[in-house]
Amino acid sequence: NVLARNLASRRTNTIGVVLNDLHNPFFAEIIDGIQSVADAAEYRILIGNGKHSRSGEAEMIETFLQFRVDGIITVGATMPMSAIEAAAASAEVVLVGRTSRSRVIDSINTDDVTGARLAVDHLVALGHRRIAHIDGGTGAGAEARRRGYSKAMTDHGLPDEITIVGGDFSEAGGYHAASELLDPACRPTAIFAANDLSAAGALDRVEDAGLLVPNDISIVGYDNTALAAMQHLSLSTVNQPRDELGRLAVEFLLERLRGERTDSVHHVIAPNLVMRKTSTTRAQGAST
């Protein structure tokens, strides 16, 4: 009897997972890594959708606390750190996809500044100079990717070519942002989008304008989700190891729950670039 066992151990053997946006495949794919470690440790997973909002995230965390979960994993959380730390008073908490220096919660994240640099380095190596960035708005990791893009462009001697267009981590955001970049007088030859969904939206907008990807405009995304690997899209992108992020998140929780440590851990994983069909050499691109 699960209820009787929980009463005896004062544990529920459940972990609540709050996904910032259930429609984003990056967040959903992290669940695979979470599930594999949780299953082996005989923990059940409860999944909550933050509905792409701080209030939605806060609502799901409160719901999980009411269900007395042993731990909470937030993926791509945008709610204030103070609110997340407050939840840690009732359950162990691990942040995934967001940097943190908190002393009471753990975090596991990809080095987004380096990831953005990999995208810019790749495009510059292909001969591109006019490289625009569609940013991720207030999404977790967006600021670091924006900063990494600007730093890489400056380091390549291209500070005057820095172009940042506001967007978000959605196809619609990428589509609308790309519309601002299609003026023939200042059109970029390459776009680095803050995530794969945004990149897919930008690709749709570029093709709707009668331009070719990558011959007229190269596009690089971020995340390396299953969407990017689909043959008809074949998106060049920066890889975040989703399975590893999920596995480590549960392992960090279990270390806390087993009393193996009390100090916080903030782990950063190095990303890598995956080259596919949406980026090509500047020599094949449209003239500036």
Side-chain angles (χ1 to χ4, degrees):
N1 184 293
V2 174
L3 180 59
R5 184 181 64 189
N6 293 344
L7 288 172
S9 66
R10 296 188 178 182
R11 291 278 179 86
T12 61
N13 278 68
T14 56
I15 297 172
V17 181
V18 182
L19 304 179
N20 172 267
D21 180 13
L22 197 58
H23 296 92
N24 188 330
F26 167 72
F27 298 133
E29 289 171 18
I30 288 177
I31 293 295
D32 290 338
I34 291 174
Q35 192 77 62
S36 65
V37 179
D39 284 350
E42 297 185 345
Y43 271 76
R44 291 177 172 81
I45 298 297
L46 303 177
I47 299 174
N49 182 15
K51 296 176 286 190
H52 212 298
S53 70
R54 293 183 175 186
S55 61
E57 293 169 359
E59 180 182 347
M60 289 313 310
I61 286 179
E62 179 59 31
T63 297
F64 287 147
L65 292 178
Q66 290 177 6
F67 276 92
R68 299 187 181 279
V69 297
D70 296 331
I72 295 175
I73 297 172
T74 68
V75 184
T78 59
M79 61 187 293
M81 187 62 68
S82 58
I84 299 174
E85 289 183 329
S90 302
E92 303 295 348
V93 178
V94 174
L95 290 176
V96 177
R98 176 175 171 177
T99 58
S100 170
R101 295 181 180 179
S102 172
R103 296 182 178 181
V104 297
I105 59 179
D106 299 330
S107 67
I108 172 69
N109 191 47
T110 302
D111 186 343
D112 289 318
V113 172
T114 295
R117 173 173 288 280
L118 290 174
V120 173
D121 288 351
H122 167 63
L123 292 168
V124 170
L126 292 175
H128 296 277
R129 293 176 57 84
R130 188 172 288 178
I131 303 166
H133 176 52
I134 298 176
D135 84 359
T138 59
E143 187 278 331
R145 294 170 203 179
R146 183 166 56 246
R147 179 159 37 91
Y149 158 79
S150 296
K151 179 68 165 56
M153 290 289 284
T154 299
D155 289 347
H156 281 291
L158 302 172
D160 294 338
E161 301 290 352
I162 292 175
T163 302
I164 300 174
V165 180
D168 57 30
F169 286 157
S170 71
E171 290 179 79
Y175 187 95
H176 293 304
S179 297
E180 299 183 34
L181 297 171
L182 296 183
D183 183 345
C186 56
R187 191 177 74 206
T189 64
I191 295 172
F192 163 46
N195 78 338
D196 290 346
L197 282 179
S198 179
L203 188 150
D204 282 346
R205 182 65 184 93
V206 169
E207 292 186 340
D208 284 349
L211 300 170
L212 298 176
V213 176
N215 288 0
D216 294 316
I217 299 179
S218 288
I219 297 178
V220 175
Y222 202 105
D223 288 341
N224 192 32
T225 58
L227 172 72
M230 295 179 68
Q231 186 62 32
H232 74 280
L233 184 59
S234 191
L235 179 69
S236 295
T237 185
V238 177
N239 178 58
Q240 295 202 76
R242 285 90 59 213
D243 186 75
E244 184 178 1
L245 289 168
R247 288 189 292 102
L248 286 174
V250 180
E251 289 174 5
F252 287 172
L253 272 183
L254 293 177
E255 287 174 1
R256 294 265 199 174
L257 292 171
R258 293 166 179 165
E260 296 172 0
R261 65 175 171 83
T262 57
D263 294 337
S264 61
V265 170
H266 302 294
H267 190 75
V268 179
I269 298 175
N272 63 284
L273 184 78
V274 178
M275 294 175 284
R276 295 194 179 96
K277 296 179 180 179
T278 59
S279 56
T280 193
T281 59
R282 177 69 184 86
Q284 299 176 32
S287 60
T288 304

